[in-house]
Amino acid sequence: EKAQMIPSTSHLNRQTPTGFGYSVGIDGELAAIGMPFDLGQGESLGDPAKSDVGRVSIHHKDNGWAATVTIRPDIADEGDQFGFSVAVSGADILVGAPYHAFQLGLAPFGTRQAVRTGAAFVYERVAPRNLKLATTLRPDEFCNAFMTRFGYSVDIDGDLLTIGAATAGLDEEGEGYVYERRSGRWVERSLLTKHPRLQGRSDWFGSAVAITSGWSIVGAPRADRGIGEALVFDYP
C-alpha cells in the first residue's frame, strides 16, 4: 500500500454519505474517485440539500495522491448519481451519471417530461486544478425505455470510449455505445447489442464495459437466468 485516498476536508467535516470509492479509475499518475451519493445545494438559500447528486474527486501522485479538485457539471441534479462510474485515460476523465434526467418533448402529445435516460461527461485536464468539460453524451433513442441507465458503466482508452446503458430497451436488454474522437469531437462509432436471438429480458447487457484499441468487452450479469455472460466485440 502506497497511499490512502480520502474525501476532501470539507466533505469529511460534513459527515454525510458520499459513496467515495464507489467507482475508481486511474492512468499513470492521475486518478478519479466517484462519489455518486454526495449532496448538492438546494435551488436557493435555505432550501434542503439535494441527495445523490454526486461528485468526482480528482487525485494526482505529485500531490501525494491527495485530492486536488472535485468536479460536478452545472446541470447535475438530485438523484443523478454523477460518479456512479469513472474512467481515466491520459488527461481525459469519463464520468457516468446513469440517472441524469433530460427535459424531453414527447410528440405528439406536445408536453415535456423529465426522463432519466442517463448521461456521460468527458473532461479534459488542462491544469492540475483545472478540468474542462469537453462534451456531454447521451443515448440516441430516448423513448425506447425511459430509464436506460446510460452511463451505468464507462471506459476510455485514448481516442475510443465505451458506455454501458444497462436497462436500455423495452425489456431492459441493455446496450453499449462506442464513441471515437475525431478532430477533437466525440462521435458515435458503434451501437453494441446482443444478437436478437440471444437477447433476454433483463439481461442488463452493459452493466460493465471495457475498451482497448481494437476490442471492447461488455458484461451482461443477468443473462441466462442470472448465470451471466460477457461478449467481446472487435473493431477492424
Side-chain angles (χ1 to χ4, degrees):
E1 181 179 324
K2 295 296 184 181
Q4 181 186 31
M5 299 181 187
I6 58 176
S8 62
T9 302
S10 62
H11 285 89
L12 292 174
N13 290 341
R14 279 186 2 211
Q15 295 186 342
T16 56
T18 66
F20 183 92
Y22 194 90
S23 60
V24 296
I26 189 169
D27 186 30
E29 299 181 348
L30 181 65
I33 314 295
M35 308 165 62
F37 311 128
D38 188 48
L39 296 176
Q41 298 300 316
E43 296 292 342
S44 59
L45 186 65
D47 285 351
K50 297 180 179 181
S51 62
D52 296 348
V53 176
R55 189 182 292 271
V56 172
S57 182
I58 307 302
H59 301 246
H60 198 274
K61 181 177 179 294
D62 288 347
N63 197 38
W65 291 114
T68 57
V69 66
T70 63
I71 54 175
R72 176 157 64 199
D74 294 336
I75 58 174
D77 203 352
E78 186 167 40
D80 281 5
Q81 295 191 20
F82 176 87
F84 189 94
S85 58
V86 297
V88 181
S89 177
D92 297 316
I93 299 169
L94 176 60
V95 183
Y99 303 99
H100 180 74
F102 291 97
Q103 291 289 333
L104 303 177
L106 301 179
F109 305 107
T111 60
R112 294 184 66 79
Q113 178 177 338
V115 179
R116 289 193 177 276
T117 61
F121 303 81
V122 182
Y123 290 84
E124 298 175 354
R125 186 172 184 261
V126 295
R129 294 183 176 272
N130 185 5
L131 284 92
K132 179 181 69 173
L133 178 62
T135 188
T136 301
L137 305 172
R138 57 187 184 182
D140 291 332
E141 299 176 1
F142 295 100
C143 293
N144 278 350
F146 280 177
M147 187 176 285
T148 67
R149 291 182 172 88
F150 180 90
Y152 195 89
S153 58
V154 298
D155 195 23
I156 184 170
D157 183 29
D159 291 329
L160 287 173
L161 66 82
T162 184
I163 299 168
T167 55
L170 296 176
D171 294 320
E172 296 186 346
E173 302 95 331
E175 295 175 342
Y177 291 77
V178 174
Y179 293 81
E180 184 176 17
R181 180 161 43 194
R182 300 173 184 169
S183 302
R185 295 179 61 250
W186 289 98
V187 295
E188 186 178 330
R189 172 170 174 169
S190 301
L191 173 65
L192 308 180
T193 61
K194 296 174 66 177
H195 191 283
R197 288 179 298 179
L198 301 177
Q199 286 180 352
R201 296 174 61 90
S202 302
D203 279 0
W204 282 55
F205 175 85
S207 292
V209 296
I211 195 166
T212 187
S213 179
W215 301 93
S216 181
I217 185 169
V218 182
R222 300 190 183 188
D224 197 9
R225 300 181 181 180
I227 294 175
E229 61 186 13
L231 280 72
V232 177
F233 299 80
D234 69 333
Y235 300 97

